[in-house]
Amino acid sequence: MLTSRLFLICASIVSFCIETSQATCNVTHVGDTENLLLRGTILTSNGALCDSHVLVESGKITYVGSGHDLGCMLGQKNVTVVDCIGSVISPGFINTHEHIGYSTITPLKDIGERTNQRHDWRVGARNFTRRPAPVNGSEYDATKWGELRHIFSGTTSIVGGEMVPGLARNLDFASGLEDGLFAPTATFDVFPLNDASGIQRLGNCDYGAAAITQDEAGRLYRYLAHVGEGVDAVAENEFQCLSNSTFDVTPLTDGGGLSTDIIAPNLALIHASSLTNEDFDLVAARGAMVVWSPRSNVFLYGKTLNVTYLLDAGITVALGTDWLPSGSATMGREAVCGRDVTQKDYDIGIAPQDIWEMMTINAAKVAGFEHQLGSLDVGKLADIVVFSGDVQQGDAFAQAVYAPSDNLQLVLRGGKILVAGEGLDILATEGCEAVLWGSVTKSICVTDAVNSTFAEFEAVLGGVYPAILPGIPDGEPTCVSTR
Ligand SMILES: *[C@@H]1O[C@H](CO)[C@@H](O)[C@H](O)[C@H]1NC(C)=O
Ligand SMILES: *[C@@H]1O[C@H](CO)[C@@H](O)[C@H](O)[C@H]1NC(C)=O
Ligand SMILES: *[C@@H]1O[C@H](CO)[C@@H](O)[C@H](O)[C@H]1NC(C)=O
Ligand SMILES: *[C@@H]1O[C@H](CO)[C@@H](O)[C@H](O)[C@H]1NC(C)=O
Ligand SMILES: *[C@@H]1O[C@H](CO)[C@@H](O)[C@H](O)[C@H]1NC(C)=O
Ligand SMILES: *[C@@H]1O[C@H](CO)[C@@H](O)[C@H](O)[C@H]1NC(C)=O
Ligand SMILES: *[C@@H]1O[C@H](CO)[C@@H](O)[C@H](O)[C@H]1NC(C)=O
Ligand SMILES: [Zn+2]
């Protein structure tokens, strides 16, 4: 066995991309399942490495390369060898923006109304239609369901405001990190201006009394805050209040009412869809980051920002799905939306690798975990996803980021198998079950975290929006801009 394994490794010295992809991965040697050797096209910031290997030992990545120097390193180790030639091997996706509790309801119906700022639809401000999204059943179960949906589309980490133990890593909760990841964690804020009641302002900062201050924001490791969500001056006013300390120097009698300046490298602005190019120039100059959720922007406000302007300015941009009611159900669908809207509205093609960085290393930077997650580098945690499928226009990054979840062959979180595709059921042993995935069967291993089988949990929830989403999800909010 050892000999044939070494032969396999040595035979792969020549690096070349096999363009005709096979349907699935194959297990060519069964050894200890905590030690996995994956073979395929490896996605890195320096490009795609054709016919290369990743070694996973005890939850970490211990080798990445062509494999020709691997033989000695393996020694007497009894690793399981998974041959995914023709498939792409990527770091697990990191979703930097979710409201994960809203995962058992169906996406909002499109009533044809596009609003200008989030309180327009949240509370029905300025005569817009209020769009309530009541959570169906328990929020805990809904959160669990949402984490399952993201794992089942290749996302291994989430910043989502809520969490359950196990399943996806929750980068905004010290108790949600899982499998060898260590704090500090990111801070997620939906209402930095303390405006949850629906306060809209123009020309002043008379929002809530407990709005964030420069001092408070400055003490946070990473601060991910909704800023300027919408498309008009009322939305953009929020940026003025958080970037210019002389914009409003008149306090309110009960506290608050002052502008501040929190634009710093620890800040990621969520949405920022109303910001001007000059605003983004300031964001870039200060080294602050942006979380982009194009589908939700388009559905709620009729357009999204010009992401290439941000990239050209050197801003670190990460992708996030926002929430099921108006956003993408999966990171892959968010990537497709980001590509399409930028092409159609701005006539600019985004390189698949740029989108991939928004879903991996940039996202890790936004959440502050770039030293432990976000790339396939030796020493990092083994959060890994593998996608089969045709090489889309010869681009290995496109094969990963735009893949339907049907193409998912493997999801590892800290080296643990959470999803194993059609040919890999042999790897799915304890706590695993077979589930129907469109026209095929895959194995999922989530029983420990779900505290029952997936099938039992699904039956308890009874007919909610599905967590396994082959193809294009039903009722998906539009990504076609109207202005
Ligand atoms: C991999 O599996 C495919 C079918 O799924 C099969 O045709 C092929 O021979 C297998 N390759 C190896 C190396 O076992
Ligand atoms: C490798 O691991 C497998 C699975 O645990 C076991 O059946 C096999 O005997 C091991 N082989 C060696 C050489 O240790
Ligand atoms: C809420 O859940 C029930 C099943 O428990 C389902 O029948 C219903 O369609 C769900 N409602 C929405 C709005 O998703
Ligand atoms: C909302 O509608 C009412 C009734 O038509 C109108 O009086 C009011 O001016 C409108 N408010 C805004 C902000 O458009
Ligand atoms: C900050 O706000 C003040 C008062 O509105 C304004 O005069 C100044 O130009 C603003 N600074 C920037 C950089 O926008
Ligand atoms: C979008 O950004 C690109 C890159 O900075 C720029 O060339 C282009 O003019 C912008 N398009 C619009 C419509 O603002
Ligand atoms: C798991 O399920 C058992 C039996 O249904 C129950 O007693 C226990 O409280 C559950 N634990 C969690 C964490 O949900
Ligand atoms: Zn949000």
Side-chain angles (χ1 to χ4, degrees):
M1 266 314 202
L2 198 62
T3 316
S4 69
R5 190 172 79 249
L6 291 178
F7 174 75
L8 163 84
I9 290 149
C10 296
S12 66
I13 294 169
V14 184
S15 269
F16 58 95
C17 267
I18 295 175
E19 294 293 331
T20 53
S21 55
Q22 65 184 41
T24 61
C25 304
N26 294 11
V27 177
T28 57
H29 175 79
V30 180
D32 306 323
T33 43
E34 61 270 27
N35 298 324
L36 288 176
L37 181 64
L38 308 178
R39 179 190 184 191
T41 300
I42 298 173
L43 304 183
T44 79
S45 289
N46 299 320
L49 309 177
C50 305
D51 192 3
S52 291
H53 293 77
V54 182
L55 181 61
V56 173
E57 294 179 278
S58 306
K60 288 196 171 180
I61 296 165
T62 54
Y63 173 89
V64 179
S66 64
H68 70 268
D69 49 346
L70 191 55
C72 308
M73 189 180 167
L74 284 178
Q76 295 304 306
K77 286 170 195 164
N78 188 14
V79 303
T80 294
V81 181
V82 184
D83 188 349
C84 297
I85 197 95
S87 295
V88 291
I89 304 176
S90 169
F93 299 145
I94 299 172
N95 185 353
T96 47
H97 186 40
E98 248 292 359
H99 300 265
I100 191 73
Y102 296 87
S103 293
T104 44
I105 58 182
T106 47
L108 290 170
K109 201 166 141 271
D110 193 345
I111 56 169
E113 193 173 280
R114 303 291 176 254
T115 67
N116 299 321
Q117 196 264 354
R118 61 179 173 165
H119 299 320
D120 293 342
W121 60 264
R122 274 191 68 248
V123 303
R126 297 189 284 188
N127 288 348
F128 283 100
T129 309
R130 194 172 83 90
R131 304 305 308 270
V135 175
N136 201 353
S138 103
E139 201 148 298
Y140 188 85
D141 281 353
T143 300
K144 207 189 263 189
W145 194 240
E147 292 194 17
L148 287 166
R149 187 180 85 244
H150 284 300
I151 283 171
F152 296 160
S153 45
T155 296
T156 47
S157 295
I158 298 173
V159 178
E162 291 179 78
M163 64 153 284
V164 296
L167 303 178
R169 299 186 194 270
N170 304 99
L171 304 183
D172 47 344
F173 291 92
S175 57
L177 297 181
E178 311 293 341
D179 295 340
L181 191 62
F182 51 84
T185 56
T187 300
F188 174 73
D189 196 348
V190 185
F191 301 106
L193 291 164
N194 191 210
D195 58 330
S197 61
I199 308 165
Q200 296 179 318
R201 289 286 178 259
L202 187 59
N204 66 64
C205 302
D206 297 345
Y207 297 98
I212 190 84
T213 64
Q214 184 182 58
D215 209 41
E216 287 162 352
R219 278 196 296 266
L220 299 172
Y221 172 60
R222 287 288 187 283
Y223 185 44
L224 280 64
H226 290 67
V227 178
E229 179 178 356
V231 290
D232 69 356
V234 166
E236 199 271 345
N237 191 69
E238 297 171 17
F239 182 77
Q240 294 303 321
C241 292
L242 294 169
S243 66
N244 180 351
S245 21
T246 60
F247 181 66
D248 186 344
V249 293
T250 314
L252 286 171
T253 44
D254 295 331
L258 298 171
S259 62
T260 184
D261 182 356
I262 63 165
I263 313 302
N266 70 333
L267 174 73
L269 301 120
I270 298 173
H271 295 305
S273 48
S274 61
L275 272 59
T276 63
N277 287 351
E278 292 68 36
D279 294 339
F280 284 123
D281 293 345
L282 178 67
V283 171
R286 296 284 186 81
M289 302 175 278
V290 169
V291 175
W292 186 38
S293 298
R295 188 181 303 278
S296 187
N297 294 165
V298 167
F299 181 84
L300 295 170
Y301 313 109
K303 67 173 182 183
T304 191
L305 50 78
N306 180 7
V307 77
T308 49
Y309 187 85
L310 281 66
L311 297 179
D312 287 356
I315 296 172
T316 297
V317 179
L319 207 60
T321 54
D322 198 358
W323 64 338
L324 191 60
S326 65
S328 297
T330 68
M331 286 290 278
R333 293 305 301 165
E334 196 67 45
V336 166
C337 177
R339 173 196 65 188
D340 291 352
V341 77
T342 303
Q343 186 65 60
K344 195 151 177 289
D345 294 8
Y346 298 100
D347 199 21
I348 299 171
I350 312 183
Q353 184 172 340
D354 287 341
I355 295 263
W356 173 80
E357 285 174 356
M358 293 181 201
M359 300 161 78
T360 56
I361 190 63
N362 289 6
K365 286 178 186 165
V366 158
F369 290 89
E370 69 274 23
H371 300 298
Q372 302 172 75
L373 301 175
S375 63
L376 300 179
D377 285 313
V378 170
K380 285 199 174 179
L381 294 166
D383 290 11
I384 299 178
V385 292
V386 177
F387 290 99
S388 62
D390 295 329
V391 176
Q392 297 192 24
Q393 294 146 5
D395 191 306
F397 292 94
Q399 190 181 339
V401 297
Y402 306 134
S405 80
D406 315 47
N407 292 4
L408 202 54
Q409 294 306 323
L410 200 60
V411 178
L412 303 179
R413 186 205 61 221
K416 289 198 186 90
I417 292 168
L418 299 178
V419 178
E422 296 88 298
L424 299 180
D425 47 315
I426 192 170
L427 298 177
T429 51
E430 255 170 80
C432 303
E433 69 203 274
V435 292
L436 203 57
W437 206 294
S439 58
V440 299
T441 300
K442 298 187 198 285
S443 298
I444 57 174
C445 308
V446 296
T447 314
D448 280 359
V450 173
N451 198 26
S452 72
T453 64
F454 173 77
E456 283 160 355
F457 183 48
E458 188 176 35
V460 166
L461 292 180
V464 295
Y465 195 78
I468 295 176
L469 295 163
I472 296 174
D474 271 356
E476 180 178 71
T478 184
C479 182
V480 178
S481 299
T482 49
R483 56 188 180 191

